[in-house]
């Protein structure tokens, strides 16, 4: 580049310089450090020792790692489709109202999104409490036995899924609702003239027109589910040495990674965990875009 061009573009470089510095400091450097320490044994008190791929091979053979991945797969298979279906139903419901009622229902359904995670977990810990929690009070009125939702390995995962859908449905609802508002009314009018009932309009007009929106909420839901941490951590132990719940039924990869790093002081192992999880997230995201491209071509 000539001196003249350098002077011409200097103001542009100066304007993006703060962003580039922050980008390098808070993204590139942590990633490079994570990759470096993933090949080392390091406890922060002693000098890091190079161990090659030992951290990765140990993790993949670890019982807790495999349990966390199994829990994560079950969680994603249930939570993502159920959460999107719930948000879609809420969006269609809210869209059927107008004026103050539409604002009221939109606010009520969106309220859990703005609650801090610890407050949402506190509310649901009370709902799930064995003796005087709301759910067990309802079961008692129905003559059914009390259930320890957060201490029974058979109910813990489903209890978490209910909380996560409650917390996230409002966010997806707002996005789907925006998509519904952009569907031209002429399409519904034409469908009605062809004799389509409300269900057929939903299937043949609404869902196809919302395909880009549904792709976005599905991809976002998958990435969020892969990083699930705060709610199960708060529902179980809320510490880096006591987490995962009974029989590790609520052990997830990010919790396991944090426990190995901050609880077990095995930072090299935790770094390898983070790199593996990042690769999984990138692979899932790439697969979603490839699938979308294939659907558009077909």
């Amino acid at each position: 580049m000539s001196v003249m061009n350098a002077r011409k573009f200097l103001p542009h470089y100066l304007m993006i310089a703060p962003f580039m510095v922050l980008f390098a400091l808070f993204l590139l450097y942590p990633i490079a450090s994570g990759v470096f320490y993933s090949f080392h044994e390091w406890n922060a008190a002693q000098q890091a020792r190079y161990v090659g791929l030992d951290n990765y091979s140990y993790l993949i053979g670890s019982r807790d790692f495999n349990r966390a991945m199994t829990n994560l797969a079950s969680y994603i298979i249930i939570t993502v489709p159920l959460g999107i279906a719930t948000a879609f139903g809420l969006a269609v419901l809210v869209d059927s109202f107008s004026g103050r009622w539409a604002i009221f229902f939109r606010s009520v359904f969106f309220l859990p999104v703005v609650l801090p995670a610890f407050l949402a977990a506190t509310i649901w810990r009370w709902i799930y409490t064995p003796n005087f929690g709301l759910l067990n009070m309802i079961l008692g009125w129905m003559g059914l036995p009390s259930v320890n939702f957060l201490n029974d390995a058979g109910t813990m995962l489903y209890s978490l899924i209910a909380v996560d859908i409650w917390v996230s449905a409002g966010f997806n609802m707002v996005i789907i609702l925006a998509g519904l508002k952009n569907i031209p009314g002429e399409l519904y009018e034409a469908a009605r003239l062809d004799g389509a009932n409300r269900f057929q309009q939903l299937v043949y007009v609404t869902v196809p027109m919302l395909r880009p929106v549904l792709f976005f909420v599905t991809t976002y839901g998958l990435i969020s589910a892969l990083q699930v941490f705060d709610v199960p951590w708060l529902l179980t132990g809320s510490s880096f040495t006591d987490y995962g719940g009974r029989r590790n039924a609520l052990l997830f990869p990010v919790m396991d990674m944090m426990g190995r790093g901050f609880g077990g002081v095995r930072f090299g192992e935790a770094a390898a965990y983070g790199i593996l999880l990042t690769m999984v997230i990138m692979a899932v995201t790439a697969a979603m875009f490839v699938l979308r491209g294939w659907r558009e071509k077909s």
Side-chain angles (χ1 to χ4, degrees), residues 58-276:
Y58 176 76
L59 275 176
I60 293 171
S62 162
R63 187 174 62 181
D64 285 347
F65 176 83
N66 288 296
R67 182 57 195 261
M69 287 297 180
T70 304
N71 288 345
L72 182 64
S74 303
Y75 172 79
I76 288 175
I77 289 170
I78 300 173
T79 304
V80 174
L82 192 58
I84 292 172
T86 304
F88 182 82
L90 292 177
V92 172
L93 175 67
V94 172
D95 194 46
S96 65
F97 291 96
S98 60
R100 292 180 180 178
W101 284 111
I103 296 172
F104 171 76
F105 284 116
R106 199 159 48 211
S107 304
V108 168
F109 294 138
F110 191 76
L111 182 61
V113 179
V114 299
L115 288 180
F118 79 90
L119 187 54
T122 302
I123 292 171
W124 280 89
R125 283 181 76 97
W126 168 72
I127 291 173
Y128 289 142
T129 300
N131 298 322
F132 53 85
L134 179 63
L135 274 180
N136 276 307
M137 286 172 63
I138 295 172
L139 291 176
W141 293 336
M142 297 169 66
L144 296 173
S146 175
V147 177
N148 196 341
F149 292 98
L150 295 179
N151 201 33
D152 184 333
T155 60
M156 291 174 71
L157 181 62
Y158 302 106
S159 303
L160 169 67
I161 289 170
V163 179
D164 275 347
I165 289 176
W166 181 74
V167 169
S168 63
F171 177 79
N172 290 331
M173 178 203 72
V174 170
I175 296 172
I176 295 172
L177 193 57
L180 286 173
K181 299 293 184 189
N182 286 327
I183 298 177
E186 292 82 2
L187 294 179
Y188 290 107
E189 186 63 32
R192 278 193 291 271
L193 290 174
D194 288 340
N197 57 34
R198 285 185 176 276
F199 179 75
Q200 289 169 326
Q201 291 174 34
L202 191 72
V203 173
Y204 296 111
V205 178
T206 306
V207 172
M209 292 300 292
L210 283 179
R211 195 169 290 165
V213 175
L214 294 176
F215 170 77
F216 170 77
V217 294
T218 303
T219 306
Y220 180 80
L222 275 172
I223 294 173
S224 298
L226 286 166
Q227 302 174 75
V228 61
F229 168 69
D230 49 5
V231 174
W233 188 71
L234 289 163
L235 287 178
T236 52
S238 304
S239 78
F240 292 119
T241 55
D242 179 19
Y243 54 88
R246 186 178 178 82
R247 297 180 184 174
N248 279 337
L250 288 186
L251 180 65
F252 290 97
V254 178
M255 296 168 67
D256 196 17
M257 178 184 71
M258 300 289 276
R260 289 170 193 264
F262 295 104
V265 200
R266 304 192 298 271
F267 293 109
E269 218 175 284
Y273 214 129
I275 298 300
L276 285 176

